[in-house]
Amino acid sequence: MTTQFRVAVIGAGFMGSMHASIFAREPRAKLVAIVDFNIELARSVAAKLGPDVKAYASHEDLLANEELDLVSICTPDHLHLQPALDIAAKGINLFVEKPIASTIEDGHKIVDACKAAGVKLGIGYLLRFDPRYFKARELIQSGKIGTPIHIYTRRNSARTEGPKRYGGTLPLALHVTVHDVDLVLWMLEGQTPVSVYAQQTDILLGEIGTQDTIAAMVRFSGGTLVNFESAWSLPAGARHMIDARMELIGTEGSFEVQCGDSGLYFADNQTSREIDTQHWPMFGDTVGGDLRQQLSSVLEWLDGKPSQVATGEEALRSLELTRAMIRSAESGLVERL
C-alpha cells in the first residue's frame, strides 16, 4: 500500500504555488495547507487546489493546527530560518527551496536543528533532476571522461526574468550561480574547492540593488579548474529564457550540456522566446518537468527509497563556495578555502 504523506507549503508565490499544485495532484501526498503572510494570496491558491486545502497566515498557525509529515518552504531565502527551526522541532521533515539560507550561519542552524530532531532535510536543487545534467554526471562516474581537467558553466537570462521577481533581495550569485555550484560539487565528488577569484558588474542593475553579471574561477583539490558565468542582463528580447550550458574536458573525453534551446520557439509582433519544456512546463493545469520529478523523488526519499535530492550538508557546501565568490568579487582578492 502506498504511503500518503500529509504536506504543507509555506509561500504562495511563483515557486510555492507550483509546489502546492504538484503535491495536490500527487497520489503519495495529501496537500493539507498553504501558508503565506498575504492570506488572500494563500486562500486564492488553496481554492484552486481543492476544498480541503486550508490557508494560514503564519507557520505558527499551521503547526498549531495540523499534523504533518513534510513542509516545503518556498519563502524568500532570508526567511527560511525560523520556520525551518520550528518545523524541525515538531519532528516534521523539511524540503527547502535553494539556497538553504542566505547566510552560512543560518544554514548551519537549519542543518543542526534537523539532525537534533532526527528529521530529513532536502534542498531544492532542481537541476539534479534535469536528465541532461544527470547523464553528464554518469559519464564522470563511469570513468568515460577520465579525470576532469576543466569545466565551464554558463547561466544567463534576460533582465525581465530574475531581476523582475527578485532584484535587490539577494546577490545574483545566490539566486543563479549557486545552481551551477551545486552541480559542479555534485559532479566532482571527492574534490573540494581550494581557491576562488571572482569579478562582478552592476552597470545596468545596480540601481535596483543587484548585479548584472558575475564570473568566477575556482581551483579544486584534484587540480580541476572551473569557470562559472552568470548574468541577469541579457536584453528583454533575448531568445533564450535561460541561456545555460556546461562544458567539461577530461583526460579521456569531454561532454557538452546545452540548455538554451528548449525545442519550442515562439515569436509574435511583440516578442520572441524559447518556451520552457524542461523545468516546469504546464500540461493543461498540471505542472510537469524537473520540478515535478524532484518533488516526487522527495516523497520516495521520505519512504526510504534512494534519491539524488540535495542534503543539508551538500547545500551548506554550495552556499559556502558561493559566498566565497561574492567575497572575492567585492574585494577583488583571491579567497583561499
Side-chain angles (χ1 to χ4, degrees), residues 74-154:
C74 301
T75 61
D77 310 320
H78 64 288
L79 300 178
H80 289 175
L81 179 62
Q82 198 58 53
L85 297 183
D86 293 344
I87 291 161
K90 285 279 189 175
I92 301 167
N93 300 297
L94 267 169
F95 184 75
V96 182
E97 267 299 334
K98 65 82 198 168
I100 185 172
S102 58
T103 70
I104 295 169
E105 180 184 12
D106 283 2
H108 276 287
K109 288 179 180 178
I110 292 172
V111 169
D112 291 345
C114 290
K115 282 183 177 179
V119 299
K120 289 192 173 184
L121 170 63
I123 310 300
Y125 281 103
L126 173 73
L127 296 177
R128 291 183 176 214
F129 294 85
D130 184 322
R132 296 167 292 193
Y133 290 110
F134 185 84
K135 297 301 289 186
R137 182 174 183 260
E138 283 190 339
L139 290 173
I140 298 174
Q141 292 183 316
S142 71
K144 290 181 179 179
I145 60 91
T147 301
I149 297 170
H150 177 242
I151 301 176
Y152 164 70
T153 73
R154 179 171 79 222

Side-chain angles (χ1 to χ4, degrees), residues 9 13 26 30 37 79 136 238 322:
V9 176
E26 167 59 61
K30 177 177 176 57
F37 71 91
L79 300 178
T322 307

